[in-house]
Amino acid sequence: MALVRQYWDAVLGSGALAATETFMAGSRLKMALIGCGGIAQLHWEGIQRIATRVDVTAVVDKNPDAVNAMAEQTSAHPFTDIEEALKMGDFDAVDIMLPHDLHEFAALACFDAGKHVLLEKPMAHSLESAERILEASNQVDTVFMIAEQAQYWTDVVKARELMDSGAIGDVISASGNFYDRVVIDPDAPAPWRYSLAISGGGLTIDGGAHWIRPLRMMMGEVDEVIGVMGHHVPRMEGESWSRMLMKFKAGAVGVLTCQNVLHAAGPADTFRVTGTEGELQITGGRDGQLLLFNNEHPRGETIMNAVQGKMNSYGEEIKDFSEVILDGRTMTATPEFSLGEFRTALALYRSIESGRWEKVW
């Protein structure tokens, strides 16, 4: 680097390379939003508030009403066809937010067009499809990242820091509780997420992924799982509830509850991690907090409020993606790592069929 700097300083004058580096650091990313459903609203809000070096220049959805509404919000050019957008649109990166069974088609088309790809979790609706996406991503030089906002939950990151510092001693176990309230309109078409062919599974593989990732972040990789599941939500083909026991490779154990609720529900821990010398608790709701219980804090010490970190996480994942492209930084979690939530859910499904513990990897 020193020789490069000396060369450019000699050719263009002292400080020329530094000026170029400053320009690159201040550059911007043109992005297309592919899929204009509910999640696109959260991503757009995150771009406006957090990922402020991203310019949305195109929006894509086969639904004309949805894409035109998103175009009005973003001042971006609307397209109703991905291939047309790739030919005619002015963008370098895409944020794919489509039903799971369309991920492979969209991702591969964008790889072929030389675009950087941010793909909503799960990577695909089947392991075979996900493996094809990974293989295709390895054949191109552009950036590929899976959007998993839980990776950026500040309370989970802080909890892991406290665990590493020995705040609760040796870690023994962890638990997570994912409760998702469902409001059913019996006269409306069933959501696409209710289809096994489209989604690839039920609640565990979808919203449950946002709880599996923090457990992996705090406890390390999942080795094997066993569990049960059931169906109580009308027209939902995949499971609407599951209970999963987990063995982590580091030796600790965990349990994850995923539950659709059709009624009012009481409060529950979002996460709890127990060690030999104390506990960490992450509470849910508007007053969500990270609490530490140990000999120094027997009644519990509030470490941080957890809510803002959740709200910012969509923007933080897009900011991470943009900085990998613009600044050459290392992404927080690779696509290969992001496959872990999907594989954990698939192992749960296998365990229900076999009645045995099933390996994740």
Side-chain angles (χ1 to χ4, degrees), residues 199-216:
S199 191
L203 184 63
T204 314
I205 218 165
D206 195 7
H210 302 311
W211 265 245
I212 299 172
R213 173 63 64 91
L215 288 169
R216 295 174 68 214

Side-chain angles (χ1 to χ4, degrees), residues 259-279:
Q259 179 80 55
N260 278 140
V261 292
L262 306 175
H263 47 70
D269 296 340
T270 303
F271 297 103
R272 183 182 290 263
V273 182
T274 302
T276 55
E277 299 176 17
E279 282 193 331

Side-chain angles (χ1 to χ4, degrees), residues 154-160 162 218 271 279-283 287-293 300-307:
T154 52
D155 49 355
V156 174
V157 173
K158 184 63 177 179
R160 180 56 194 258
L162 290 168
M218 292 186 290
F271 297 103
E279 282 193 331
L280 290 166
Q281 180 186 22
I282 296 177
T283 65
D287 299 322
Q289 295 177 324
L290 171 62
L291 303 172
L292 169 63
F293 297 83
E301 175 75 6
T302 299
I303 303 301
M304 64 184 296
N305 185 286
V307 175

Side-chain angles (χ1 to χ4, degrees), residues 27-352:
S27 58
R28 303 186 62 79
L29 180 66
K30 294 180 180 179
M31 177 182 280
L33 305 182
I34 300 181
C36 297
I39 193 66
Q41 295 296 325
L42 296 172
H43 281 217
W44 170 235
E45 181 182 346
I47 289 169
Q48 292 177 289
R49 294 194 304 108
I50 307 293
T52 55
R53 294 167 67 190
V54 172
D55 297 316
V56 175
T57 57
V59 290
V60 187
D61 199 292
K62 67 179 183 180
N63 183 325
D65 293 334
V67 76
N68 288 330
M70 201 75 200
E72 185 174 350
Q73 276 186 277
T74 60
S75 299
H77 190 88
F79 295 92
T80 55
D81 179 78
I82 292 176
E83 293 178 338
E84 181 186 4
L86 291 171
K87 290 179 182 178
M88 306 297 294
D90 178 22
F91 53 90
D92 302 307
V94 298
D95 183 358
I96 300 174
M97 299 166 284
L98 297 172
H100 306 165
D101 66 327
L102 299 178
H103 285 191
E104 182 179 356
F105 161 74
L108 267 57
C110 293
F111 291 149
D112 288 343
K115 307 300 183 184
H116 304 288
V117 174
L118 179 65
L119 177 62
E120 258 294 336
K121 66 83 204 157
M123 193 179 300
H125 67 305
S126 71
L127 186 57
E128 294 77 14
S129 181
E131 289 174 342
R132 289 192 293 268
I133 293 172
L134 273 176
E135 182 179 359
S137 74
N138 291 328
Q139 304 304 313
V140 296
D141 295 328
T142 48
V143 172
F144 174 47
M145 188 174 122
I146 298 297
E148 174 48 81
Q149 73 265 22
Q151 182 70 44
Y152 307 89
W153 287 355
T154 52
D155 49 355
V156 174
V157 173
K158 184 63 177 179
R160 180 56 194 258
E161 291 176 1
L162 290 168
M163 294 164 65
D164 289 342
S165 73
I168 61 171
D170 296 330
V171 178
I172 300 170
S173 64
S175 63
N177 292 290
F178 170 52
Y179 288 88
D180 192 24
R181 189 164 186 269
V182 176
V183 178
I184 295 178
D185 181 351
D187 298 323
W192 64 261
R193 296 177 185 278
Y194 283 19
S195 166
L196 274 174
I198 295 175
S199 191
L203 184 63
T204 314
I205 218 165
D206 195 7
H210 302 311
W211 265 245
I212 299 172
R213 173 63 64 91
L215 288 169
R216 295 174 68 214
M217 291 168 64
M218 292 186 290
M219 306 295 288
E221 194 54 88
V222 185
D223 184 24
E224 54 184 344
V225 304
I226 191 170
V228 293
M229 69 181 191
H231 305 76
H232 73 292
V233 175
R235 298 184 294 170
M236 186 173 180
E237 295 176 358
E239 81 282 358
S240 54
W241 65 264
S242 67
R243 307 287 187 274
M244 174 166 47
L245 290 173
M246 315 165 84
K247 292 181 182 178
F248 297 94
K249 290 186 176 181
V253 297
V255 59
L256 174 62
T257 296
C258 297
Q259 179 80 55
N260 278 140
V261 292
L262 306 175
H263 47 70
D269 296 340
T270 303
F271 297 103
R272 183 182 290 263
V273 182
T274 302
T276 55
E277 299 176 17
E279 282 193 331
L280 290 166
Q281 180 186 22
I282 296 177
T283 65
R286 293 183 178 181
D287 299 322
Q289 295 177 324
L290 171 62
L291 303 172
L292 169 63
F293 297 83
N294 57 16
N295 289 336
E296 186 178 352
H297 307 291
R299 296 186 178 181
E301 175 75 6
T302 299
I303 303 301
M304 64 184 296
N305 185 286
V307 175
Q308 193 62 44
K310 301 288 198 306
M311 293 174 60
N312 290 343
S313 59
Y314 294 98
E316 290 293 342
E317 68 184 0
I318 300 170
K319 180 174 180 282
D320 187 13
F321 176 66
S322 68
E323 289 179 349
V324 173
I325 298 167
L326 297 174
D327 304 332
R329 62 162 287 177
T330 301
M331 71 178 64
T332 304
T334 66
E336 290 80 6
F337 180 80
S338 297
L339 198 55
E341 289 78 49
F342 189 60
R343 294 186 68 101
T344 299
L346 292 179
L348 167 68
Y349 299 155
R350 293 197 307 274
S351 82
I352 292 167

